[in-house]
């Protein structure tokens, strides 16, 4: 069912893009630590209860691997603090692109360092695409720090957090993958990612870290519900897309994410339009397409 797979893939890309734009505007009013603590406390309770009721063996297996659970929680905490901070401080399209582009570069560094999760470049085409992505990240970082992007509150910190988000999220995927290989399902893994983050975010909010919260409790509850709806469905859509479309197709559609965010920003009206930002996004888009094509060609030759 290729058409159904394309619908799921597009749903993931669009919902994730909408998530970035929504969060970028929300965190100008609502403290990101309060938001994160509430959303992921709800996620943790729901998914762990679901696992306890329907996947109790998986939950027991996961809890028997405490060191791995600790690694997952530490990297998830650092990744989400970095992610929520980056979309608060810089243009959402830039935050998304820098974070996404940092991930394959992190995988390559892990390979060079001979660490788990590292993967070598498969051919020169993929290498050319990845270095084009790296060039796009440099362009977008320079545009943002120089004050020529559409929006920035603290450009250097925002760029740093976006890079950190990509690095820590890559490590999180590596550790979650190791837990999945032991036989723990995605729902159980998701529920066990965030207990530490909830505690840390709640503590940071209680200590008045981050901008002051200007929303009342009724607004905050509504924003938490919307935020939950924008975090969980994209993850489900991604899993369905992975099962129904090729890696190349999914990679190509994900590469359009920065451009979709840029368009959504225009409709939102909060972020000014920047031609330099758009140029950096186009460089990233071309690099991502080239890298995806190179990886696909390598896999096709391997299975020929």
């Amino acid at each position: 069912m290729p058409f159904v797979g394309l619908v799921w893939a597009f749903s993931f890309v669009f919902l994730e893009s909408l998530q970035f734009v929504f969060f970028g505007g929300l965190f100008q009013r609502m403290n990101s630590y309060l938001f994160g603590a509430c959303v992921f406390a709800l996620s943790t309770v729901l998914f762990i209860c679901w696992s306890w009721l329907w996947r109790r063996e998986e939950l027991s297996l996961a809890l028997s691997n405490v060191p791995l659970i600790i690694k997952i929680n530490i990297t998830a905490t650092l990744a989400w603090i970095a992610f929520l901070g980056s979309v608060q401080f810089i243009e959402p399209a830039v935050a998304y692109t820098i974070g996404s582009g940092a991930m394959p570069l992190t995988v390559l560094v892990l390979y060079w360092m001979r660490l788990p999760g590292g993967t070598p470049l498969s051919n020169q085409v993929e290498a050319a695409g990845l270095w084009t992505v790296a060039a796009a990240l440099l362009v977008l970082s320079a545009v943002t720090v120089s004050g020529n992007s559409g929006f920035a509150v603290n450009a250097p910190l925002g760029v740093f957090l976006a890079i950190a988000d990509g690095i820590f999220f890559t490590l999180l995927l590596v550790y979650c993958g190791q837990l999945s290989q032991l036989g723990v399902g995605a729902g159980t893994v998701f529920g066990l990612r965030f207990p530490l983050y909830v505690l840390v975010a709640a503590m940071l909010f209680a200590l008045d870290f981050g901008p002051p919260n200007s929303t009342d409790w009724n607004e905050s509850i509504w924003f938490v519900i919307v935020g939950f709806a924008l975090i969980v469905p994209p993850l489900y859509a991604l899993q369905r897309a992975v099962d129904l479309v090729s890696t190349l197709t999914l990679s190509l559609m994900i590469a359009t994410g920065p451009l979709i965010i840029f368009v959504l920003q225009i409709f939102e009206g909060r972020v000014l339009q920047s031609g330099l930002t758009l140029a950096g996004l186009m460089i990233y888009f071309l690099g991502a397409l080239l890298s995806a094509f190179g990886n696909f060609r390598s896999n096709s030759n391997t299975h020929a």
Side-chain angles (χ1 to χ4, degrees):
M1 295 183 290
F3 176 74
V4 176
L6 290 175
V7 171
W8 281 115
F10 177 77
S11 298
F12 163 69
V13 174
F14 181 78
L15 288 172
E16 189 177 47
S17 301
L18 193 62
Q19 176 191 117
F20 266 76
V21 176
F22 174 76
F23 288 168
L26 172 63
F27 296 150
Q28 308 310 311
R29 298 181 56 206
M30 185 176 183
N31 184 285
S32 61
Y33 299 123
L34 172 63
F35 173 84
C38 293
V39 168
F40 288 114
L42 178 61
S43 302
T44 298
V45 170
L46 290 178
F47 277 88
I48 289 182
C49 286
W50 177 85
S51 297
W52 187 80
L53 290 172
W54 305 104
R55 297 289 187 272
R56 200 169 300 182
E57 292 183 2
E58 289 183 5
L59 188 59
S60 298
L61 178 60
L63 294 177
S64 67
N65 290 273
V66 174
L68 190 52
I69 294 294
I70 292 175
K71 291 179 181 178
I72 288 172
N73 272 260
I74 291 174
T75 51
T77 298
L78 294 173
W80 277 91
I81 287 176
F83 161 59
L84 296 178
S86 67
V87 296
Q88 175 184 336
F89 292 131
I90 60 176
E91 186 175 343
V94 174
Y96 178 96
T97 307
I98 292 178
S100 298
M103 292 179 65
L105 295 172
T106 301
V107 170
L108 188 58
V109 171
L110 291 176
Y111 171 74
W112 288 340
M113 297 177 67
R114 301 181 183 276
L115 294 174
T119 304
L121 295 170
S122 55
N123 52 46
Q124 292 182 345
V125 176
E126 185 180 15
L130 187 58
W131 297 130
T132 302
V133 166
L137 302 194
L138 291 175
V139 169
L140 288 169
S141 298
V143 167
T144 302
V145 172
S146 65
N148 291 302
S149 66
F151 170 82
V153 174
N154 187 330
L157 180 58
V159 169
F160 171 79
L161 290 175
I163 296 171
D165 170 38
I167 293 172
F168 288 123
F169 193 74
T170 303
L171 296 175
L172 173 63
L173 292 180
V174 172
Y175 296 137
C176 288
Q178 292 175 357
L179 192 59
S180 296
Q181 290 171 5
L182 297 176
V184 181
T188 303
V189 174
F190 187 81
L192 292 172
R193 284 184 186 184
F194 301 113
L196 178 62
Y197 173 78
V198 172
L199 293 175
V200 171
M203 181 183 66
L204 291 174
F205 173 69
L207 294 174
D208 290 328
F209 275 79
N213 187 62
S214 62
T215 60
D216 59 36
W217 280 107
N218 288 332
E219 284 183 307
S220 296
I221 292 171
W222 168 247
F223 287 143
V224 167
I225 293 172
V226 174
F228 181 83
L230 287 175
I231 287 175
V232 176
L235 298 175
Y236 178 77
L238 175 61
Q239 187 58 52
R240 292 300 305 270
V242 167
D243 295 336
L244 295 171
V245 300
S246 69
T247 302
L248 175 63
T249 300
L250 186 57
S251 298
L252 295 180
M253 295 195 72
I254 290 175
T256 66
L259 301 179
I260 294 176
I261 294 175
F262 190 84
V263 172
L264 290 175
Q265 288 177 173
I266 295 174
F267 285 102
E268 183 195 27
R270 179 180 63 89
V271 176
L272 298 176
Q273 299 179 46
S274 168
L276 291 175
T277 294
L278 182 58
L281 298 182
M282 290 303 299
I283 296 172
Y284 170 84
F285 178 68
L286 293 174
L289 293 184
L290 191 60
S291 182
F293 177 72
N295 184 269
F296 172 76
R297 194 170 74 172
S298 175
N299 290 334
S300 297
N301 292 336
T302 301
H303 293 99

